[in-house]
Amino acid sequence: MSHANLASIGFPAKEGARSFTTRPEISGTFGAVASTHWIASQVGMAVLERGGNAFDAAAAAGFTLQIVEPHLNGPGGDCPIILHSARTGQQQAICGQGPAPAGLNVALMKSLGHEIMPGTGMLAAPIPGAFDAWMLMLRDHGTWKPLDVLAYAIGYARHGAPMVPRVRATIDSVRPLFEAEWKTSAALWLRNGGPAPGGLYANPTLADTYERVVREAEAAGGDRVAQIEAARRAWYRGFVAEAIDRFCRTTEAMDTSGRRHRAVLNGQDLANWSAGIEAPLGLDYHGHRVLKCGPWSQGPAMLQTLALIAGDDIAAMDPLGPDFIHLVTEAMKLAFADREAFYGDPNFVDVPMATLLSPAYNAARRALISDTASMDFRPGSPDGRTPRTDYAAAIRRAQEMAAAAGSGEPTVSRLGAAGGDTCHVDVIDAAGNMVSATPSAGWLQSSPAIPELGFCLGTRCQMFWLDESLPNGLQPGKRPRTTLSPALVLRDGKAWMSFGTPGGEQQDQWQSIMLLRMLHHGMNIQEAIDAPSFHSEHWISSFWPRGAKPGKLVIEGRYAPEVLAALKARGHQAEAGGDWTEGRLTGARLEADGTIRAGANPRGMQGYAVGR
């Protein structure tokens, strides 16, 4: 697609691609918050206005997201965070991805007749990690007490938050399951007919839970850190853990296997765990250092994608043309193949990360990219290692699921396996503190609601393989390789940008595309978000039923028809999606002159950036 054709999809020609947006990239010097829901963004900004820092603001926004986007995350979910502290000048990754319970292992799952982990219900529940991740960040970097941070979420849970239409659509998709099987979820989400799109809907039980956490925190005295530690105890060793333990021991729930199971998770698992703090992984790319979580996430796949194309003249490519789409997609195929073959919890797996990100390895891998689309699944052999994956089984499962759906077999719809998604929040304050956080899981459709607490457990353990020899094979105490992937970028050694997105496998695809357009084509955050995007489904999905769709490439409908035709001519199994369907990105950046700029995704009409 030539630059002259940019105007055909709303982008003026040549450098005019930098001037069309659905809304401006906001700019100021005091602070900015960008998130996947306007209320969470405003809550974060309210915290900054009241004197809180970026860490206080991000935590308050994160807890609020649990109320306003309950179909995308919840208190029983996960949350990885990457942050930059202006005080120390250092960056940290906080791992709010809880591991498998001590009693969950391959032998148990096989004895129950499972070939893969269920995608819903109780068996796939890991230790919920989000609460501890937020509290650790607040303890070490924030300035506010638990009550101050949780007050916003408590208020919306108590008095009601406006429900976007997708919340109701999600509830409707699992209504038969709730009514027939998950009665505690029906009591919470179907009362009075359930949330009306745009109407207020409260979760008073969750408000009670957080209010009790606050009371127990304040009982520890006036010291801020002591209160935070008391809140953590209440969650992982106190009344919250006790309620989770009791529910897990006494509740059998239908899951995607078509059978009812109890959870393996128990109170001792919660008591023995706390979120981890580690250095993020980094890659130098065209004068910038891109930071991601470790190989317990898929984040390094973005770093590998950038390493694979580092020598290509991206700036000479049309950012909306087929050459750009083809190259980035083919690089992603190689990076995500390595994800499947080598990534896993580094506490259990020797991941050859240095080699996977090395120039020599990626130069050799880059030679595999040709002018035609690859239909093969091609992990490499870093340090001479033999890759091991379950790719053949993933293809078989995808075919079986398609055949079952075509024959009218009761599969996903009967079992209520409505997919969940994710949220994201970015914050920068006037001091230069930065937060990129991606809370997820514990969706209302994950598992039955715990009636005493007002939330359900997550199902991240669905991402494990039932083969201990695989890098992401199930083992007790091991973190499932999550798709959650916040990002931070340094420019000239200084923290520059925080960004991220929901989207499962698409997270590191959309983030790569956004960053490349900013660094090579001069787009600002909002322009890079608004521009038509794309994603591949070539590799093994991390989510139940763990299928793969070789060569599948989806581009937004706003691309010119000749772009789709060119991709098909190169062998891609390409198709056009909706006009505004690719990505829920948000981002914020701090320029050298002190200007803070931010943008958020218009798709779905939920995400907003605010600041001044």
Side-chain angles (χ1 to χ4, degrees):
M1 183 178 183
S2 67
H3 286 291
N5 288 331
L6 292 173
S8 69
I9 55 172
F11 283 79
K14 200 69 174 177
E15 293 190 0
R18 300 172 55 187
S19 62
F20 174 85
T21 59
T22 58
R23 57 183 77 158
E25 180 189 57
I26 67 168
S27 178
T29 57
F30 177 78
V33 184
S35 86
T36 49
H37 197 287
W38 69 90
I39 287 179
S41 297
Q42 291 285 25
V43 163
M45 196 64 200
V47 173
L48 296 181
E49 295 283 5
R50 287 178 53 195
N53 65 17
F55 311 110
D56 304 317
F63 284 114
T64 301
L65 283 169
Q66 297 171 2
I67 315 302
V68 298
E69 293 192 311
H71 60 314
L72 304 179
N73 79 135
D78 319 308
C79 184
I81 302 168
I82 299 182
L83 61 86
H84 167 77
S85 167
R87 177 177 57 84
T88 66
Q90 301 298 310
Q91 299 81 44
Q92 288 182 344
I94 300 178
C95 179
Q97 175 53 67
L104 188 61
N105 55 58
V106 171
L108 171 65
M109 295 304 299
K110 292 292 181 71
S111 73
L112 295 173
H114 295 279
E115 292 185 1
I116 61 172
M117 291 293 299
T120 60
M122 308 292 286
L123 273 176
I127 298 169
F131 187 86
D132 209 45
W134 290 123
M135 285 293 132
L136 273 183
M137 181 184 73
L138 189 65
R139 183 195 71 184
D140 294 348
H141 302 283
T143 64
W144 280 21
K145 296 177 180 179
L147 172 60
D148 302 318
V149 167
L150 284 165
Y152 300 91
I154 291 171
Y156 284 112
R158 176 69 64 201
H159 303 294
M163 292 288 107
V164 295
R166 291 183 182 183
V167 176
R168 180 54 185 258
T170 300
I171 292 171
D172 286 343
S173 72
V174 292
R175 179 182 291 268
L177 177 70
F178 282 13
E179 291 176 336
E181 297 283 347
W182 295 5
K183 301 298 179 67
T184 57
S185 294
L188 178 59
W189 295 108
L190 300 181
R191 70 179 194 277
N192 301 320
L200 297 178
Y201 200 76
N203 186 343
T205 306
L206 180 55
D208 291 343
T209 296
Y210 277 136
E211 285 179 345
R212 182 171 174 184
V213 168
V214 168
R215 288 197 303 271
E216 297 200 12
E218 293 182 329
D223 180 73
R224 191 183 73 87
V225 171
Q227 288 193 9
I228 292 171
E229 292 299 335
R232 295 175 69 200
R233 286 194 300 273
W235 199 270
Y236 290 95
R237 295 175 177 83
F239 80 97
V240 174
E242 290 169 0
I244 291 173
D245 178 87
R246 188 161 47 248
F247 190 75
C248 288
R249 284 188 288 105
T250 60
T251 304
E252 288 191 341
M254 178 69 70
D255 59 39
T256 53
S257 71
R259 291 175 286 147
R260 299 178 184 88
H261 297 96
R262 292 184 184 179
V264 176
L265 180 70
N266 61 41
Q268 195 60 49
D269 292 312
L270 276 75
N272 290 340
W273 182 82
S274 62
I277 300 173
E278 58 193 53
L281 282 178
L283 177 81
D284 293 324
Y285 180 83
H286 287 262
H288 297 75
R289 186 159 182 82
V290 185
L291 303 181
K292 282 285 182 177
C293 295
W296 50 268
S297 78
Q298 73 174 16
M302 177 178 172
L303 304 182
Q304 282 195 251
T305 298
L306 297 176
L308 283 160
I309 61 175
D312 288 278
D313 191 357
I314 305 295
M317 296 180 181
D318 183 338
L320 304 178
D323 290 343
F324 177 84
I325 297 174
H326 173 77
L327 175 63
V328 173
T329 298
E330 294 304 298
M332 288 174 178
K333 289 178 181 178
L334 298 174
F336 276 77
D338 280 349
R339 178 199 73 163
E340 193 60 44
F342 301 107
Y343 292 14
D345 184 345
N347 293 334
F348 290 76
V349 180
D350 179 19
V351 183
M353 209 68 249
T355 299
L356 289 169
L357 297 180
S358 68
Y361 177 78
N362 285 286
R365 296 279 278 158
R366 172 65 179 84
L368 296 175
I369 300 177
S370 69
D371 291 335
T372 59
S374 171
M375 294 295 112
D376 298 325
F377 188 69
R378 301 182 292 180
S381 299
D383 302 330
R385 303 186 188 199
T386 301
R388 291 195 64 246
T389 72
D390 203 12
Y391 186 69
I395 296 295
R396 184 183 71 249
R397 273 190 296 276
Q399 294 169 342
E400 290 172 350
M401 291 294 292
S407 66
E409 286 292 321
T411 53
V412 174
S413 59
R414 179 178 68 82
L415 302 173
D421 205 338
T422 302
C423 308
H424 187 79
V425 59
D426 298 293
V427 186
I428 300 178
D429 64 23
N433 296 305
M434 292 189 187
V435 179
S436 175
T438 311
S440 184
W443 319 294
L444 66 87
Q445 66 275 26
S446 295
S447 61
I450 302 171
E452 298 165 76
L453 300 177
F455 65 83
C456 64
L457 297 170
T459 54
R460 189 68 61 179
C461 287
Q462 68 180 281
M463 298 183 170
F464 281 123
W465 293 112
L466 297 185
D467 181 345
E468 290 185 359
S469 69
L470 294 175
N472 192 35
L474 172 63
Q475 294 185 58
K478 186 177 183 179
R479 290 170 287 185
R481 189 203 66 215
T482 183
T483 53
L484 305 179
S485 191
L488 206 69
V489 183
L490 310 183
R491 171 179 277 181
D492 299 325
K494 297 180 181 179
W496 176 57
M497 184 167 71
S498 157
F499 69 120
T501 181
E505 319 290 332
Q506 282 89 280
Q507 289 185 33
D508 286 291
Q509 300 184 63
W510 293 329
Q511 289 180 58
S512 298
I513 296 162
M514 172 183 169
L515 184 62
L516 290 170
R517 286 170 169 168
M518 292 182 67
L519 299 187
H520 295 294
H521 301 110
M523 294 187 187
N524 66 34
I525 290 175
Q526 195 62 52
E527 292 159 349
I529 289 172
D530 284 354
S533 198
F534 56 91
H535 79 271
S536 173
E537 298 178 23
H538 177 80
W539 44 83
I540 303 172
S541 171
S542 297
F543 297 90
W544 182 91
R546 310 303 305 276
K549 300 175 182 178
K552 182 175 180 180
L553 175 63
V554 181
I555 68 172
E556 267 182 316
R558 289 179 291 141
Y559 279 100
E562 54 264 35
V563 173
L564 181 61
L567 293 168
K568 289 182 175 180
R570 294 189 183 194
H572 293 279
Q573 303 297 308
E575 60 186 62
D579 285 355
W580 293 91
T581 52
E582 292 288 321
R584 288 184 66 208
L585 290 150
T586 72
R589 58 191 171 98
L590 174 62
E591 296 297 346
D593 64 356
T595 302
I596 302 170
R597 303 177 184 272
N601 172 57
R603 299 164 180 87
M605 296 185 289
Q606 287 178 224
Y608 277 88
V610 296
R612 68 171 178 84

